[in-house]
Amino acid sequence: MDFLNYLDARKSVRHFKQQVTISNEEIFNILNHAANAPSGNNAQPWKVIVIKNKSVMKMLQKFSYNQEQVTQASMIILILGDKSHYNTDYLIANQLKHNIIQTSQIKEKTNRIKAYFSLHPEDKETAGLRLDVGLFSMNLMHVIRAFGYDSVPMRGVQFDNIMYYLHLPQEWVPILLLPVGKADKVGYRHVRESAEQFTTIID
């Protein structure tokens, strides 16, 4: 129950202590834990840009309708998706690399991947990225709290301008902007519908 209470206590924090720094070592540690999130066919299509430079953060604030958490945070994590990870050859090569399958299983695995995408062709597109990168992002937010920090997921930003400003590859799809730091004020109270209101159980 302590773990469930921990999960329930997550809040979107929009006010951060401005003198807190997060080391690169800790950032990679956080991201390595977050990367244990599931993804379709183990594609792991996420790309991550971490911004700690205050001048860059000020520019990102302009592209975020001057929301103050963007410059107050210790770092900004821009989370993107890369559709090339859904390429069948890429998926097979990656599974061979990590000994998930053997050479003798390539044909069978290839047919299974193709059959899956024939059922859900949208999962090779932005819709698939939003699902897989969303799973990664939620995992990341919980990991961030485990390290003693807080965050707030943001999509109300000018992603096109951010992509251009940071000179990021056009084939990457921006999914989420995530300011991270030590909370200076408690996040907003949760208001949630009860499970009885949104659940149907078929016995």
Side-chain angles (χ1 to χ4, degrees), residues 10-14 16 31 47-53 56-81 130 133-134 136-138 140-141 144 150-166 168 173-181:
R10 190 210 65 82
K11 292 182 173 64
S12 292
V13 170
R14 292 175 173 83
F16 297 99
L31 291 170
K47 298 291 183 184
V48 174
I49 307 295
V50 179
I51 299 104
K52 298 167 68 176
N53 182 286
V56 177
M57 290 167 73
K58 285 181 181 178
M59 186 60 71
L60 295 190
Q61 185 181 36
K62 291 182 181 180
F63 298 143
S64 304
Y65 302 96
N66 293 314
Q67 296 182 70
E68 60 185 356
Q69 66 264 25
V70 176
T71 49
Q72 287 182 353
S74 300
M75 64 179 179
I76 304 295
I77 302 178
L78 174 60
I79 308 169
L80 312 100
R130 286 180 174 166
V133 176
F136 169 81
S137 299
M138 190 70 253
L140 174 59
M141 284 187 275
I144 284 167
D150 286 284
S151 64
V152 53
M154 296 175 59
R155 275 191 53 81
V157 301
Q158 298 169 9
F159 280 121
D160 287 347
N161 289 339
I162 292 173
M163 295 289 288
Y164 180 80
Y165 174 70
L166 295 177
L168 298 177
V173 179
I175 303 295
L176 197 69
L177 200 68
L178 192 70
V180 178

Side-chain angles (χ1 to χ4, degrees), residues 24-152:
N24 290 352
E25 180 182 4
E26 194 167 24
I27 291 169
F28 283 116
N29 201 2
I30 288 169
L31 291 170
N32 278 321
H33 282 289
N36 284 294
S39 58
N41 291 297
N42 197 31
Q44 302 175 58
W46 39 81
K47 298 291 183 184
V48 174
I49 307 295
V50 179
I51 299 104
K52 298 167 68 176
N53 182 286
K54 291 299 181 182
S55 296
V56 177
M57 290 167 73
K58 285 181 181 178
M59 186 60 71
L60 295 190
Q61 185 181 36
K62 291 182 181 180
F63 298 143
S64 304
Y65 302 96
N66 293 314
Q67 296 182 70
E68 60 185 356
Q69 66 264 25
V70 176
T71 49
Q72 287 182 353
S74 300
M75 64 179 179
I76 304 295
I77 302 178
L78 174 60
I79 308 169
L80 312 100
D82 184 354
K83 286 187 280 190
S84 71
H85 283 229
Y86 296 137
N87 178 277
T88 302
D89 290 339
Y90 173 89
L91 292 169
I92 293 296
N94 195 47
Q95 295 202 12
L96 285 170
K97 174 183 174 182
H98 296 287
N99 297 313
I100 297 172
I101 63 171
Q102 304 302 315
T103 305
S104 60
Q105 298 172 290
I106 290 177
K107 184 176 180 180
E108 178 188 359
K109 186 64 176 180
T110 298
N111 289 337
R112 287 176 61 187
I113 291 172
K114 288 181 177 179
Y116 171 80
F117 283 129
S118 70
L119 286 173
H120 301 286
E122 71 278 7
D123 282 5
K124 297 181 72 172
E125 304 300 330
T126 301
L129 290 179
R130 286 180 174 166
L131 173 59
D132 287 337
V133 176
L135 291 169
F136 169 81
S137 299
M138 190 70 253
N139 210 39
L140 174 59
M141 284 187 275
H142 286 311
V143 171
I144 284 167
R145 290 188 61 234
F147 277 76
Y149 303 105
D150 286 284
S151 64
V152 53

